[in-house]
Amino acid sequence: MSVLDEILAGVAADLEQRMARTSLDDLKAQADRQNPALDPMPAFRADGVSVIAEVKRASPSRGDLAPIKDPAGLAADYAAGGAAAISVLTEERRFGGTLDDLRAVRGQVDVPVLRKDFITTSYQLWEARAAGADMALLIVAALEQNALESLVERARSIGLTPLVEVHDEEEVERAVEAGADLVGVNARNLKTLEVERSTFSRLSPLIPDGVVKVAESGVRGPHDVIEYAKAGAHVVLVGESLVKGDDPRASVADLVAAGVHPALQHRW
């Protein structure tokens, strides 16, 4: 069993418990009470490179990263540093996150919020929207094609912007077939959990013009932002280096500043 399979098994078990506690109709009612979802795409399509800053306590590859007792406060620092969006891990077993973290962040920031989890059902999309998310991660490797296409469509129908994550050439093709206009290339190999920074530069040319490209994993500092941008990235998603740093606001500001380098303007 792969690491992804193990994670998905745990996610399914936890999801079953949540579904027993909260009906889909209740979730939909909660979602209806939320403000309209924010659209991240105008910022992502602007000149330069946008930054999605992540609230992330742990990961399967690195174990515990940071306790993050105040996810809302951390998100506020990210936003003050210029982050275009905030990503919140909500998977509990391997990443130490919860939907409560997402709710707390939503109540604190005015930028779009991404639910980052292993979403395989429309119930989880409604959970995301009910908690105030504006975006939802869909991992191609975790989904059959019919399910991927259905979830992309369902996400949009309830106001969520789907970020479709890929790891190889076949998955890029599947994401495009599913109609994704926001594609994240994760440089972390799901089998070895190692980061291969060349993954983005290899897959980026296969993603059609007009699709927003997000570089995920492997951003250690401003230099990596510039290198990913040169390879075609419009957005970078950064977690580990931010939560382990001493000054998240300043760290985000440094990444944002790198993203507005004159050489990176007018790339659309």
Side-chain angles (χ1 to χ4, degrees), residues 41-118:
M41 298 300 274
F44 291 171
R45 293 186 182 279
D47 285 343
V49 179
S50 297
V51 175
I52 303 175
E54 190 158 82
V55 177
K56 181 178 184 180
R57 291 190 176 89
S59 76
S61 60
R62 300 294 186 185
D64 291 339
L65 299 173
I68 310 183
K69 295 180 180 179
D70 182 11
L74 177 60
D77 284 341
Y78 287 161
I86 309 297
S87 171
V88 182
L89 262 299
T90 60
E91 196 280 332
E92 186 169 1
R93 298 189 184 207
R94 297 297 190 96
F95 294 89
T98 68
L99 282 163
D100 284 339
D101 290 344
L102 178 57
R103 295 184 187 98
V105 169
R106 170 73 288 157
Q108 187 67 37
V109 301
D110 296 324
V111 297
V113 176
L114 164 70
R115 181 187 186 183
K116 195 173 183 190
D117 208 319
F118 296 81

Side-chain angles (χ1 to χ4, degrees), residues 121-139:
T121 69
S122 59
Y123 183 94
Q124 291 161 286
L125 293 176
W126 282 108
E127 279 185 321
R129 190 69 198 98
D134 310 286
M135 308 164 62
L137 182 71
L138 297 176
I139 302 173

Side-chain angles (χ1 to χ4, degrees), residues 127-184:
E127 279 185 321
R129 190 69 198 98
D134 310 286
M135 308 164 62
L137 182 71
L138 297 176
I139 302 173
V140 173
L143 297 164
E144 297 293 336
Q145 189 63 17
N146 287 344
L148 174 63
E149 293 176 5
S150 176
L151 289 173
V152 166
E153 182 179 347
R154 178 56 59 88
R156 289 174 176 154
S157 73
I158 65 176
L160 293 167
T161 299
L163 169 58
V164 181
E165 180 178 292
V166 302
H167 301 82
D168 59 31
E169 289 82 356
E170 180 186 1
E171 291 179 10
V172 171
E173 184 176 343
R174 290 182 56 201
V176 172
E177 288 180 1
D181 55 8
L182 180 64
V183 172

